[in-house]
Amino acid sequence: MFSFVPEMKITAEIITIGDEILIGQIVNTNAVWLSQQLVKIGVWVSKIASVGDNSTHISYSLKQALLSNNIVIITGGLGPTNDDITKKTLQDFFKTGLKKVDEVENHIKSTFKKVNVEFLPVHEQQSYILGNSSLLFNNYGTAPGMWIDENEKTVIILPGVPKEMKGIMSDFALDKIKLKYKLPEIISKSIVTYGIPESTLAEILKETENQLPDNIKLAYLPSFSSVKLRLTSVSYDLNFINTVFENCFKEILQKIPTANIAAIQDLKQEEIIGKLLSDKGKTLSIAESCTGGYVSHLITSVSGSSQYFKGSVTSYSNSAKINILEVEQSTIDNFGAVSEQCVRQMAKGVRKKFDSDYAISTSGIAGPTGETPDKPIGTVWIAVCNRDKCLTKKIKLKGNREDIIKNSSFTALEFLRQLIISE
Amino acid sequence: MFSFVPEMKITAEIITIGDEILIGQIVNTNAVWLSQQLVKIGVWVSKIASVGDNSTHISYSLKQALLSNNIVIITGGLGPTNDDITKKTLQDFFKTGLKKVDEVENHIKSTFKKVNVEFLPVHEQQSYILGNSSLLFNNYGTAPGMWIDENEKTVIILPGVPKEMKGIMSDFALDKIKLKYKLPEIISKSIVTYGIPESTLAEILKETENQLPDNIKLAYLPSFSSVKLRLTSVSYDLNFINTVFENCFKEILQKIPTANIAAIQDLKQEEIIGKLLSDKGKTLSIAESCTGGYVSHLITSVSGSSQYFKGSVTSYSNSAKINILEVEQSTIDNFGAVSEQCVRQMAKGVRKKFDSDYAISTSGIAGPTGETPDKPIGTVWIAVCNRDKCLTKKIKLKGNREDIIKNSSFTALEFLRQLIISE
């Protein structure tokens, strides 16, 4: 896992304000995004704190954060409603007044005009920023962002609406951070592997990993049936990156069996398959039972997928399997819908129906109901075929309905990838 | 939004340990789950802090947390690897030693036996807990949880693996908290509304909301095309809940137009539709173009959906629309695939194909490619039909490909719900 390296000398703390995070109503996605952006430009996030709409807690957290960090980023509580107390709290904290910014007021007025909402006094207060701050203009909403220089330290105040927070950071704040502080270069390269367990990878790479310099870290990012390796270097010396880092990456690449390497970049499984199909000019169709449309959703979530994806049938009923996919009644009668014979006929049927080069089919018990003595919940049959042959496999998955739907979908995509590259 | 109420006198801080959160590699789902569980039993979470694998930061955060909270929950860093430093750090913090727990050692040994892994010294250290702690047995892994009584205060130490953390909390820790502290009763009731904007709801309910007692809060939880209202009461007096709370809920219910109420409980849109269909004994089929299988995925994510969902066709190519859904070639030629005429024929075609009572169809431009001057990205046509009639609507959505796919799917489900209840 990529973790702190000594080269990251500039540190930040993120303070998100709002009760909704403390009661688990929303996930703190702002902090996730902010951390990713800061690490990318070479700023180490030492702490993420979520506090409620409470002046005492906000001031106290800010005081603590300033003691041990160069940068503090505060998000949330800048709206016009009563529980939005950030600005008032910071006024007291910095013992400063407010100053009106006409640019912001005009922006708010014109925004309201567009949607035919009357501009009220309650809205006017949004055009004020802290007296000791400079404006970070908000192109995506009405609450302005603020930048405060406390000697060498910086406090950045942003709205909590993700679109606005991200917009202000990307438009202004990240660049201002890069200008104010001397930051190291960060470079990352990824390898997506399939069919090789994390522990085996760790064993293969043990020696290389132990010899990595302090400022190069190897991260193992396991997901279902796949492990992504990310090599990251932090350095003020570009030459170091071009030589040492590249050599370390090459060494790692050489040690992993080629068959297990799906991509030498940061791609999702569905993107890897999309790339394989477009490169070969081949097409795909899908027949889904237990996965209920999720495999198709993954494939079509990739932009440009209409170039290689012809379509799919979710045959949730036996009649649909028989009438649309031309599965034989006798197959269902003799072996059941969750059987090798059935997925084989589903895959062949859908490939024929859509006249595609490849096809995937799935049939299984996602649960919590529908299990039989010989077919427990999590039993899933998968078939993949091209114009010549059809391969099948049976998997047994653990977990709830969602786990089983998603993990059988991932397995089906990986099964197809293996068929494609085997040709 | 449900926010702090004076009745919540017992407060907790959650401290999650691990660099992977600080670099935005993983979302802090442990904190989300813990917050939800604590609020449910009447403990207010005053702060969530995420710190790295760093002794100084861990000790400092724990010290601060103990100053202002009754309970501190620490998760992560209990594994056997080098960067798991939580136990060592807490030994120094509490100036205590370690004690071996045979129960844990036997549990680890038998766990390893099951998977044929040799029990090594590095594993033995997991059978030790802090000298000043009592064991919270881990039925789901090898790292034991710990409970420390510091006079009136409590420190709970848990592994970071979500399954293990949740298991230990549910099996032991939550009950021990309820035993140690006097906690208020929390009760929540939800109303799911559709087709009425948050601002309008707020206007309708303004008066009622202003008259709510301090310990009853109304939360607005908006999602695409739906606003969930959650009324929550915090009280030590059950009688209060049964009288005052119930009356407030009734009053709110009466003020919302019945047509806009989708459910008087905490249901997702796909669950509401599933309930409507099962209650009426009706069936559904779906024809998807731009939504690419996502509507089917939503419907089949509900367990028991096989009772009312017959299946779907994702017709990503025109040929599929023509050959499988019997859309006329002339329709595509004259009006294009993204047209009222096309979705109408898609819906009728799929309903006939699967012989279902209802059908949904979608066709649009999800982007980022494929737009035309008169059909910009985000243009989506939706049709819903029963055995008698077919309704269509055109929507224009903003956002990226994922937003457009998901939001047109939600709109389609709501469109179907309106058709079903209109009969």
Side-chain angles (χ1 to χ4, degrees), chain A residues 114-166:
Chain A
K114 280 199 203 96
V115 290
N116 290 316
V117 177
E118 194 190 350
F119 183 79
L120 303 167
V122 60
H123 300 123
E124 192 200 353
Q125 57 125 313
Q126 289 224 305
S127 52
Y128 287 83
I129 66 173
L130 292 167
N132 63 335
S133 75
S134 53
L135 170 69
L136 295 173
F137 192 79
N138 181 350
N139 286 302
Y140 314 87
T142 52
M146 291 167 265
W147 173 287
I148 298 171
D149 287 298
E150 282 272 292
N151 314 319
E152 292 314 299
K153 310 220 168 192
T154 307
V155 179
I156 299 167
I157 301 132
L158 304 167
V161 181
K163 188 183 63 178
E164 303 179 23
M165 180 279 294
K166 293 177 184 177

Side-chain angles (χ1 to χ4, degrees), chain B residues 172-389:
Chain B
F172 308 107
L174 286 168
D175 290 338
K176 278 172 75 83
I177 292 171
K178 285 190 243 169
L179 271 175
K180 180 169 178 175
Y181 299 100
K182 183 173 183 348
L183 301 170
E185 294 291 332
I186 308 273
I187 181 166
S188 276
K189 278 191 165 193
S190 298
I191 305 171
V192 183
T193 70
Y194 281 107
I196 182 165
E198 184 178 5
S199 52
T200 315
L201 272 173
E203 198 51 45
I204 295 175
L205 300 173
K206 199 173 176 184
E207 202 184 313
T208 318
E209 204 173 349
N210 291 337
Q211 289 164 5
L212 289 176
D214 276 1
N215 60 338
I216 297 186
K217 300 273 182 180
L218 181 63
Y220 294 76
L221 313 173
S223 64
F224 186 83
S225 87
S226 145
V227 178
K228 188 187 293 170
L229 293 166
R230 184 182 295 148
L231 191 71
T232 306
S233 158
V234 182
S235 170
Y236 291 89
D237 173 4
L238 268 175
N239 182 42
F240 170 90
I241 290 169
N242 297 329
T243 55
V244 183
F245 175 78
E246 286 302 334
N247 290 335
C248 296
F249 188 75
K250 277 200 205 82
E251 191 177 329
I252 290 167
L253 206 50
Q254 282 158 3
K255 291 200 172 175
I256 304 166
T258 323
N260 297 107
I261 298 176
I264 307 181
Q265 49 187 309
D266 222 327
L267 288 181
K268 287 183 187 161
Q269 203 173 21
E270 53 270 28
E271 294 169 322
I272 292 167
I273 284 172
K275 206 172 165 312
L276 280 171
L277 290 170
S278 345
D279 291 352
K280 290 169 168 266
K282 302 284 190 178
T283 58
L284 170 68
S285 64
I286 301 167
E288 306 192 56
S289 187
C290 65
T291 49
Y294 194 70
V295 183
S296 310
H297 168 58
L298 288 173
I299 290 291
T300 56
S301 67
V302 179
S303 88
S305 46
S306 53
Q307 294 309 309
Y308 50 83
F309 181 59
K310 286 211 162 178
S312 72
V313 171
T314 301
S315 53
Y316 230 52
S317 55
N318 288 340
S319 58
K321 292 183 179 71
I322 293 161
N323 301 335
I324 302 173
L325 297 174
E326 295 171 19
V327 172
E328 290 159 21
Q329 178 72 57
S330 61
T331 307
I332 309 257
D333 298 341
N334 302 334
F335 308 102
V338 180
S339 65
E340 174 169 23
Q341 294 79 355
C342 184
V343 285
R344 189 182 289 276
Q345 292 184 347
M346 285 169 69
K348 286 183 176 172
V350 80
R351 202 193 63 69
K352 195 168 128 224
K353 201 92 190 166
F354 287 89
D355 184 29
S356 61
D357 301 298
Y358 297 98
I360 298 174
S361 70
T362 64
S363 185
I365 319 279
T369 57
E371 76 180 328
T372 63
D374 56 327
K375 289 168 187 170
I377 288 170
T379 309
V380 180
W381 274 99
I382 299 170
V384 293
C385 63
N386 58 22
R387 294 188 182 273
D388 311 321
K389 62 175 180 291

